[in-house]
Amino acid sequence: AGCELRRAISEAKGLKPLMNLIVSPNKGVQDQWEEHIVKCHRRAIQLQGAKRESLLREKICDYALITRYQFAAIFMSASELGRNKTSAFFPGISSALLQKLRMLHDSQNDPNKFFNDLAGKYQAPELQSLHAELTRKKNHDKGNIMRKLINECSDGHQPIFDMFIIDEAHLCKNDTTYWSIAAAIIGNLKA
């Protein structure tokens, strides 16, 4: 209901409404969302597979549906080392900034592997300086670095969704998972 109210307000102001993004816990719940949206005579599309970036860019629907696992995969793809193009989910946000967030995630979730095995992969100067900073910091300091980087993602970037809904949001309690980081970025973008 909130999405439709926001859409009506945008249309009344003469603005083109943006899509709404719904992140569901699994495919079964995603199918239920689509069924109910279609009953309300709105267009919904499940963003799956390799075409999800192009489907999002085309903006052919009112509601974009994705599972939390697919959402995590989107962040993982957008933050791959060596990736230079921007993601449709994070337009205008540099791949270097997304890579920093991924590096921070990796350093928190498996510190030994990160510091021993992966350190050589971070060759870009801005990533090396973050690697050095993470090596010195304690885990509670890393949370502050994460918040700072997520805030940097929102600086000067326009949202691509009118509303962003996380179904079963209590599953998003671990702030260092890929899908939680992606949710924080999208949720932090302001009009």
Side-chain angles (χ1 to χ4, degrees):
C3 292
E4 291 304 313
L5 179 59
R6 191 160 193 161
R7 177 172 295 283
I9 291 169
S10 292
E11 289 172 351
K13 290 181 175 180
L15 302 172
K16 185 177 185 304
L18 300 173
M19 281 186 289
N20 299 293
L21 178 64
I22 300 173
V23 179
S24 61
N26 57 51
K27 177 79 166 90
V29 175
Q30 185 180 37
D31 290 342
Q32 290 174 349
W33 273 102
E34 184 176 34
E35 180 183 323
H36 290 288
I37 291 166
V38 169
K39 283 182 183 177
C40 295
H41 306 288
R42 291 292 183 190
R43 296 167 298 163
I45 191 160
Q46 293 189 22
L47 301 174
Q48 298 176 4
K51 293 186 176 185
R52 62 181 164 233
E53 292 265 340
S54 61
L55 290 171
L56 188 61
R57 282 189 180 95
E58 292 172 18
K59 299 178 182 175
I60 57 172
C61 63
D62 301 312
Y63 293 86
L65 308 171
I66 196 161
T67 68
R68 67 185 178 127
Y69 306 106
Q70 294 164 330
F71 203 42
I74 288 165
F75 177 78
M76 290 170 63
S77 173
S79 63
E80 282 179 15
L81 290 174
R83 181 182 170 120
N84 293 322
K85 66 180 192 171
T86 60
S87 166
F89 282 84
F90 313 109
I93 299 172
S94 74
S95 52
L97 187 53
L98 294 173
Q99 289 164 7
K100 286 180 184 181
L101 283 163
R102 183 171 183 164
M103 189 162 80
L104 184 58
H105 166 275
D106 293 347
S107 75
Q108 287 181 304
N109 287 313
D110 195 348
N112 292 332
K113 181 177 182 183
F114 173 74
F115 290 114
N116 295 331
D117 300 339
L118 299 178
K121 289 185 177 182
Y122 301 104
Q123 299 301 321
E126 66 273 10
L127 295 179
Q128 286 181 341
S129 64
L130 181 61
H131 179 272
E133 186 178 358
L134 293 175
T135 306
R136 293 187 309 270
K137 299 280 184 179
K138 296 180 181 142
N139 271 343
H140 69 276
D141 291 335
K142 292 176 185 174
N144 293 330
I145 296 170
M146 178 80 74
R147 281 186 286 284
K148 181 181 148 213
L149 290 174
I150 287 171
N151 286 336
E152 279 183 46
C153 288
S154 65
D155 290 345
H157 296 100
Q158 295 296 313
I160 57 171
F161 303 107
D162 263 339
M163 295 207 58
F164 172 49
I165 298 169
I166 301 176
D167 192 348
E168 302 286 340
H170 65 277
L171 297 172
C172 198
K173 59 190 165 212
N174 183 348
D175 62 353
T176 60
T177 61
Y178 288 135
W179 85 283
S180 295
I181 294 169
I185 294 168
I186 298 289
N188 210 31
L189 296 176
K190 299 168 189 74

